[in-house]
Amino acid sequence: MTESNESQAWSARHSSELYGIEEWGGGYFGVSPEGEVVVRSPSNGQAGATVSLMDIAHGLQQRGLEMPVLLRLENLVDSRISILNESFAQAMETTGYQGCYRGAFPIKVNQQSHIVAEIARFGERYNHGLEAGSKAELMIALSTLQNRESLIICNGYKDAEFIDLGLQARKLGFKCFFVLETPAEVPLIIERSRALGVDPLIGARLKLSTKVEGHWSEDSGDRSLFGLTAIQLVEVVDSLREAGLLHCFQLLHFHLGSQIPNIRSIRAGVFEACRYYIDLVAEGAPLGYMDLGGGLAIDYDGTCSTSGHSRNYSVQEYCVDVVEAIQQALDPHDIEHPVIVTESGRATVAHTSVLLFNILDVGHFDPAPLPEALPEDSHAQLANLWHAIRVIAANNLQESYNDVTYYRDQIRDMFHRGEISLRERAFGENLYLAGLQKIAALLPELKRIPAELETLPQQLADIYYGNFSVFQSLPDSWAIEQVFPVMPIHRLNEKPTRQAIIADLTCDCDGKLDRFAGPHGNTETLSVHPVKASEEYYLGVFLVGAYQETLGDLHNLFGDTNVASIRINNEGGMEFVHELHGDSIADVLSYVEYDPQAMFKQFRATAEQAVRDGRITVSDRQEMLAAFTDSLRGYTYFER
């Protein structure tokens, strides 16, 4: 079958399988028969409406929001909260658990105001609360939550002002818990509660010995940074009893780490925490809440495995295992089932955001067409390289690779010594590329690929230059090698015939995506389509709703992207709920302590001096000043 026929036989289903969208998409994303990525609106288990990301992209551009754009899908925020709460409710009903569930979204995971507001609004029906790790986040919680049954969990180190804010929240009727990180916080909480005349709600964070897998495994075990040891926990109990506040100790907290891939680790941690719970009740602490912290993972790569980018369990299994473990531990001691609290952030918001961007240019490693015969006056080393390429066959790939590399190196050395010309070197480099491409094309015929040749296809992959900044929009892909699903959002009924890595605009060697999620594990290149000169080519990076906005930095002074929030209605239409233009150049300059007005005045003075020196005309000056002003107001990213 020819390549043309293969392309014709390619369908959207093949693309869906190639990129694994049904595995990592959580049921929210798919590929339409027209070859476009679609968003599915959750609809209580029914087939909800779908909207094409290409339609959304066009709608954004019509509203003046150019690429790159961070797209937020409000329906998915609602869905994730619903799934978590209803899964716990179903697990409790099935097992006969006598307590209830309360969620608390950690604000640090996505601090954007309308995201937190949406969580509070939709979560109100479930009494879903917020977790605050700083004074600023506590102020967000106090000004956002309306439901007094929703919990506010205060983690992190707390000074007097932080504690006073929480105690004032208690006066307002909020269930605001102080989770003790160290015994040193106890005297301050006692002092401020007496000063304000209000009993605090107190929790304690355990330092469990249970170890977990994954990138954040150091958050667990004896050497974890946070939490109270058994010795410190006894000190806390004694201090609270002595102060007459042991009745305030109502919550036991632990956090094994973010993105825990193995459900067995979670279950082991719950069992260990229950042992503490049992003995603290025996000590007289009226515990009624068990807070598991975060850790509920999502499947970034679609492998449903214990890799750091996946998990071997569903939300439903997570809930059942937590509920059963607590029941099995506490029932033999006739201890009342506590309210189960989780601070699930990643699992709540990761699916809700997609980074959309366009491809600006492509760098190829394809050779230019070779002449039918080697030019007669060619240097001997060029003739050697020419001959080495012509004899490449499946039975000599390693030898051929050694030969073409050797002759290429000889040609480079001769150029450095001035023995051959630039044109001769360029011809030699082109011959070398032709040899590598011929070797790479024959690799599939081998039963065992030599180790040195295994990465050859990656070395020859294209570089697709994307209109975005890794450091601003996908910092975890650079900092901790987080894998995010990446794929084209259109042309998916065409066979993607190129392999590429994705480079960003920062001109930094780390500003790239070269790890991609796939149905059979991670890959170092992405299957993409050849870019057509007459049309834009769009990619999407999915599952980026957790942490990425907050952690983004101003590398090369690329600022926040344009942002849009949409809601899909039942008829398959979309409402543009929220639009926010990204940072202008003036914005990002001010972030690093430049004064845009002062910069304009200095540039104007420079231009005026050029007029006086006769370098430019007054008309030139005006055009330059207008261009400078337009640039200050312009988008930090590439604009066509």
Side-chain angles (χ1 to χ4, degrees):
M1 182 180 288
T2 66
E3 183 173 333
S4 175
N5 289 335
E6 285 184 9
S7 181
Q8 291 175 3
W10 191 266
S11 69
R13 177 180 59 81
H14 293 106
S15 288
S16 179
E17 294 171 354
L18 173 66
Y19 297 108
I21 191 170
E22 297 295 343
E23 283 73 34
W24 52 255
Y28 300 120
F29 302 100
V31 178
S32 71
E34 294 74 29
E36 297 179 352
V37 173
V38 294
V39 185
R40 300 171 179 143
S41 173
S43 183
N44 297 324
Q46 304 299 316
T50 62
V51 171
S52 165
L53 285 186
M54 284 299 291
D55 289 344
I56 295 172
H58 293 150
L60 293 171
Q61 291 171 329
Q62 291 167 3
R63 289 164 173 79
L65 295 175
E66 296 296 328
M67 297 290 134
V69 175
L70 183 70
L71 177 66
R72 298 193 183 116
L73 305 162
E74 290 196 355
N75 302 70
L76 305 195
V77 179
D78 299 352
S79 173
R80 300 305 295 176
I81 293 174
S82 178
I83 287 173
L84 183 59
N85 281 273
E86 293 180 11
S87 294
F88 264 114
Q90 180 62 43
M92 290 174 176
E93 180 180 354
T94 301
T95 60
Y97 192 86
Q98 299 303 303
C100 64
Y101 170 72
R102 292 288 183 268
F105 174 73
I107 297 174
K108 65 177 176 288
V109 175
N110 193 318
Q111 298 151 335
Q112 304 305 311
S113 61
H114 73 280
I115 288 287
V116 177
E118 177 75 2
I119 289 170
R121 184 184 68 81
F122 188 80
E124 187 170 4
R125 62 185 287 200
Y126 297 111
N127 302 315
H128 207 91
L130 296 170
E131 182 268 340
S134 68
K135 287 179 283 189
E137 291 184 349
L138 178 54
M139 295 176 75
I140 290 173
L142 292 176
S143 61
T144 304
L145 288 176
Q146 300 298 316
N147 184 355
R148 297 301 190 271
E149 291 301 311
S150 300
L151 303 183
I152 299 176
I153 306 294
C154 297
N155 289 320
Y157 293 108
K158 295 166 276 292
D159 61 13
E161 187 176 10
F162 194 154
I163 293 168
D164 284 357
L165 278 171
L167 291 172
Q168 298 291 3
R170 291 280 296 124
K171 287 186 176 182
L172 293 172
F174 286 104
K175 293 184 176 179
C176 182
F177 279 90
F178 298 121
V179 177
L180 301 174
E181 303 284 353
T182 72
E185 292 178 327
V186 177
L188 189 56
I189 291 175
I190 293 172
E191 175 194 333
R192 298 313 304 160
S193 64
R194 286 173 175 168
L196 295 179
V198 57
D199 279 355
L201 288 175
I202 295 175
R205 179 168 176 169
L206 299 174
K207 181 178 291 191
L208 299 181
S209 60
T210 301
K211 291 287 292 182
V212 302
E213 299 95 330
H215 182 83
W216 289 271
S217 60
E218 292 186 3
D219 281 357
S220 61
D222 294 334
R223 290 293 296 173
S224 61
L225 296 179
F226 304 103
L228 303 174
T229 65
I231 297 171
Q232 293 171 325
L233 192 59
V234 171
E235 292 176 8
V236 166
V237 170
D238 291 343
S239 297
L240 292 176
R241 180 182 283 114
E242 183 178 348
L245 293 178
L246 188 57
H247 64 281
C248 300
F249 188 2
Q250 299 183 25
L251 180 143
L252 197 61
H253 181 290
F254 66 94
H255 177 70
L256 294 173
S258 182
Q259 182 70 13
I260 302 174
N262 195 333
I263 189 63
R264 294 186 294 276
S265 300
I266 295 171
R267 195 176 182 101
V270 173
F271 274 122
E272 183 182 357
C274 284
R275 279 302 314 154
Y276 285 90
Y277 194 99
I278 293 164
D279 279 25
L280 286 170
V281 169
E283 286 279 343
L287 296 176
Y289 297 81
M290 179 172 286
D291 186 344
L292 281 67
L296 175 57
I298 64 169
D299 195 353
Y300 283 103
D301 60 20
T303 60
C304 196
S305 67
T306 56
S307 79
H309 308 299
S310 186
R311 80 288 178 267
N312 67 353
Y313 56 92
S314 65
V315 174
Q316 291 75 16
E317 183 182 356
Y318 169 84
C319 296
V320 169
D321 276 26
V322 167
V323 169
E324 286 184 345
I326 294 175
Q327 259 185 307
Q328 291 171 12
L330 300 189
D331 282 356
H333 301 272
D334 294 324
I335 294 176
E336 185 176 342
H337 296 164
V339 175
I340 298 175
V341 181
T342 69
E343 301 167 15
S344 299
R346 191 183 301 271
T348 303
V349 296
H351 292 83
T352 65
S353 295
V354 181
L355 177 68
L356 302 176
F357 62 91
N358 55 321
I359 295 299
L360 303 176
D361 197 9
V362 178
H364 292 298
F365 291 85
D366 295 337
L370 299 181
E372 293 184 4
L374 185 69
E376 291 184 1
D377 58 347
S378 296
H379 193 281
Q381 294 291 22
L382 289 173
N384 291 335
L385 182 52
W386 176 274
H387 175 73
I389 293 170
R390 295 177 67 86
V391 300
I392 293 173
N395 63 354
N396 68 0
L397 293 188
Q398 179 67 67
E399 179 184 355
S400 294
Y401 177 79
N402 296 339
D403 288 344
V404 297
T405 302
Y406 172 78
Y407 292 128
R408 188 279 313 268
D409 291 344
Q410 291 295 305
I411 291 168
R412 286 182 174 180
D413 289 341
M414 294 175 66
F415 175 75
H416 295 159
R417 296 193 298 267
E419 297 174 7
I420 63 172
S421 68
L422 173 62
R423 289 187 180 276
E424 287 176 307
R425 172 172 176 174
F427 182 55
E429 297 286 353
N430 194 55
L431 288 175
Y432 177 67
L433 280 178
L436 293 188
Q437 292 286 3
K438 190 173 181 181
I439 292 170
L442 292 171
L443 287 177
E445 297 184 18
L446 301 186
K447 292 182 179 180
R448 185 181 65 83
I449 297 175
E452 195 173 8
L453 303 184
E454 287 179 348
T455 61
L456 185 56
Q458 287 76 41
Q459 297 172 34
L460 297 173
D462 297 335
I463 302 175
Y464 275 45
Y465 294 92
N467 188 14
F468 74 107
S469 164
V470 163
F471 306 98
Q472 176 59 242
S473 296
L474 304 169
D476 276 351
S477 69
W478 163 71
I480 61 172
E481 299 185 347
Q482 174 67 55
V483 171
F484 295 99
V486 185
M487 66 179 294
I489 65 169
H490 63 136
R491 295 177 59 185
L492 296 171
N493 47 11
E494 304 173 30
K495 185 176 182 178
T497 57
R498 308 296 300 184
Q499 293 295 311
I501 66 169
I502 312 299
D504 71 1
L505 293 179
T506 62
C507 298
D508 189 298
C509 62
D510 288 335
K512 62 184 177 182
L513 300 177
D514 58 1
R515 294 177 301 277
F516 303 96
H520 305 297
N522 299 331
T523 61
E524 296 180 359
T525 60
L526 181 69
S527 297
V528 290
H529 306 88
V531 174
K532 299 177 181 178
S534 59
E535 66 180 50
E536 296 279 17
Y537 188 57
Y538 296 101
L539 299 183
V541 186
F542 296 79
L543 312 187
V544 299
Y547 294 105
Q548 301 317 294
E549 290 182 79
T550 301
L551 296 177
D553 73 9
L554 294 174
H555 199 295
N556 282 128
L557 295 185
F558 288 108
D560 286 341
T561 66
N562 292 326
V563 177
S565 295
I566 71 158
R567 177 168 285 277
I568 303 171
N569 59 41
N570 293 332
E571 291 73 38
M574 53 185 167
E575 305 167 22
F576 286 82
V577 180
H578 180 84
E579 300 170 25
L580 180 65
H581 284 269
D583 287 330
S584 67
I585 292 176
D587 291 332
V588 297
L589 288 170
S590 66
Y591 298 157
V592 288
E593 300 180 12
Y594 289 91
D595 182 344
Q597 290 185 344
M599 294 173 68
F600 175 79
K601 290 179 181 178
Q602 182 59 52
F603 182 74
R604 183 174 60 191
T606 300
E608 185 61 32
Q609 183 62 49
V611 171
R612 291 196 294 269
D613 294 343
R615 297 176 181 275
I616 62 173
T617 66
V618 173
S619 178
D620 292 336
R621 170 190 180 277
Q622 291 306 104
E623 289 180 7
M624 290 178 181
L625 294 180
F628 194 89
T629 300
D630 288 345
S631 291
L632 285 174
R633 291 195 295 257
Y635 200 18
T636 61
Y637 294 91
F638 188 92
E639 298 177 279
R640 292 201 187 274

